Amino acid sequence: MPPLSDRQRRFLAAYQERLAVAPAARLAGVHRASVYRWRSDPVFAAAMRDAAEVFFANVQARVLAAEAEREVWRAARERARHPMRCDYLARARAAKRR
């Protein structure tokens, strides 16, 4: 089996960034029809699947990092609001006792 050409490797690198054939082909400087023709090669098809897995792993990592960042922000916000809530609750209880 012949190794991947330079054009194919450029496309696969772009495909890892954008998981759509036409934009990735445009980014790599190859025609999208070439990509569809290359997909009949089992080596290239496997490399394309691997590139898609890399894309999804990167997306998942970004989503998990953003969620962790939001969780840190939420925890800090709750710590800042807790004294205020306790004060309002104490005032409400004091007003109710009157």
Side-chain angles (χ1 to χ4, degrees), residues 18-83:
R18 300 184 182 188
L19 198 65
V21 172
R26 195 175 311 115
L27 192 64
V30 298
H31 197 276
R32 62 188 166 92
S34 299
V35 176
Y36 290 115
R37 189 174 58 251
W38 295 336
R39 285 175 46 181
S40 63
D41 177 18
V43 174
F44 183 76
M48 218 169 143
R49 281 191 299 275
D50 293 343
E53 288 178 19
V54 169
F55 172 82
F56 287 120
N58 290 340
V59 168
Q60 183 181 26
R62 284 196 307 264
V63 167
L64 291 175
E67 183 58 34
E69 196 175 297
R70 277 193 298 275
E71 197 56 42
V72 167
W73 177 80
R74 284 184 193 123
R77 184 182 68 177
E78 287 303 312
R79 278 193 306 277
R81 285 182 164 183
H82 183 73

